[in-house]
Amino acid sequence: MGHVQRRLASTTAKLASSLSTAHLQKFPPKELLFAKGREIPTATIDPDTWASLQPPPPTALSAFAHRIGLSSVLNSTEAIQQICTHPSFLQLLKQHKPHEQESATNGQLAAIGNSLMGLFATEYVRATYPHLPTRVMKAAVTAHVGPLPCANVAQEMGATPLLRWHRSRGTLLKPGVLHSDALASIPRALTALVYQRRSLPSARQFVHSYFLSREVDLRGMIKFLDPKKALLEMVKKFQRELPKSRLLKETGRFSNSPVFVVGIFSGEDQLGEGFGSSLKMAEYRAAEDALLRVYLSRTPPHLVQLPSQTFPVGVGDVYRKLPEVDYKAADLVESEIMYASSGNSFTRSS
């Protein structure tokens, strides 16, 4: 038992000695030391604030770049530190170290990366689900590359210990800054840096690898006020026969727990199927199922073509002439049906 304890103590001592602390300042800092002839410190500072002012170790920055596979893009510790520095950190730096040079932040990079990620996600969702309603498409884009997914990806990358930021309260003109908001800026800034130092296709590949490869439940985003009415309008728009409900199966009609299975048909084609404890509920679910089959119809992955695939590979002008690209624009689909808009009962097409 004593031998195991000695080995454990020896290993702990080796690990402690192997960690580099040369980049850190000693605590307490000079401004907290007692001045000559005085019994009170010249200034006060919170230990947590002092710790947040310290730069992350260079070894952690280098490990982060290699961990996410961007060591060739993030080829300097200054670039990695800029990626991990939120603009809110400058307020903290000016407050406690007004004479120190301002650090480079990821503010501009995050703004560019946010636009690029929105572009890549929108074209991907639009090409994959061509019949998706506009509002659901916007929600799907947010679910892929919104603030919460960006913050979660940053945590998975291991960027949390490297983040330099400062919490601030919101005002009438400026929203507050939370930890998740600061974390979300890191993947956005990475996207912009890949775009600037590599190419647009490289940035798209980065976003597809970390964000668009994740499955998002779109079925729960689609809600219908009256699915039977929406289905009727959609069938009319496609110039098909009017939908009709048919009872397919039933059991326990006169019991306490009956089950009915209803199908909705347009001519001989079955559009949807639903079940319920009443005929009305089963018909409602059948109409909802028919609508979801149309809206969630998915293009096979090998047939998905993105408009950004026509941009050139490599750094340079994205508008320069390229050789012929095997790209075919997607066919325009029928516009969605919007009904009961703004509380009105009439039906209108967007």
Side-chain angles (χ1 to χ4, degrees), residues 33 41 101 174 202 224 235 242 276 348 350:
L33 298 178
Q101 184 179 1
K174 188 177 181 181
S202 299
F224 302 100
V235 168
L242 295 182
R348 70 181 181 89
S350 62

Side-chain angles (χ1 to χ4, degrees), residues 189-335:
L190 286 172
T191 304
L193 198 64
V194 173
Y195 165 67
Q196 290 182 347
R197 298 190 175 183
R198 288 295 181 264
S199 63
L200 188 72
S202 299
R204 186 185 67 240
Q205 180 61 36
F206 173 78
V207 175
H208 276 255
S209 299
Y210 279 94
F211 293 92
L212 302 182
S213 59
R214 300 167 182 247
E215 290 293 333
V216 174
D217 183 19
L218 300 181
R219 193 181 186 92
M221 300 180 183
I222 305 178
K223 301 297 181 182
F224 302 100
L225 180 64
D226 189 347
K228 292 177 60 178
K229 187 174 183 179
L231 179 62
L232 177 63
E233 296 297 331
M234 187 180 68
V235 168
K236 286 182 179 179
K237 192 151 195 174
F238 283 100
Q239 298 180 355
R240 301 288 299 272
E241 295 185 27
L242 295 182
K244 296 181 179 180
S245 302
R246 300 175 186 174
L247 180 62
L248 302 180
K249 298 178 183 179
E250 67 169 293
T251 181
R253 178 184 286 263
F254 300 104
S255 65
N256 293 330
S257 54
V259 177
F260 302 93
V261 180
V262 173
I264 290 187
F265 293 81
S266 175
E268 297 182 355
D269 299 328
Q270 182 175 351
L271 304 180
E273 184 176 313
F275 70 95
S277 58
S278 65
L279 289 172
K280 188 175 182 180
M281 180 187 295
E283 190 177 14
Y284 180 96
R285 290 179 174 175
E288 192 176 45
D289 179 61
L291 290 170
L292 291 175
R293 288 174 183 269
V294 175
Y295 289 144
L296 297 181
S297 58
R298 183 167 184 170
T299 305
H302 66 281
L303 297 179
V304 173
Q305 289 190 321
L306 306 175
S308 60
Q309 292 176 349
T310 60
F311 285 93
V313 178
V315 180
D317 185 9
V318 296
Y319 298 105
R320 67 180 183 268
K321 188 176 181 180
L322 289 176
E324 293 296 331
V325 181
D326 185 16
Y327 171 77
K328 180 183 178 182
D331 297 331
L332 293 178
V333 299
E334 294 289 340
S335 58

Side-chain angles (χ1 to χ4, degrees), residues 117-129:
M117 294 173 71
L119 165 66
F120 299 144
T122 301
E123 67 173 5
Y124 172 77
V125 175
R126 176 65 181 83
T128 306
Y129 301 96

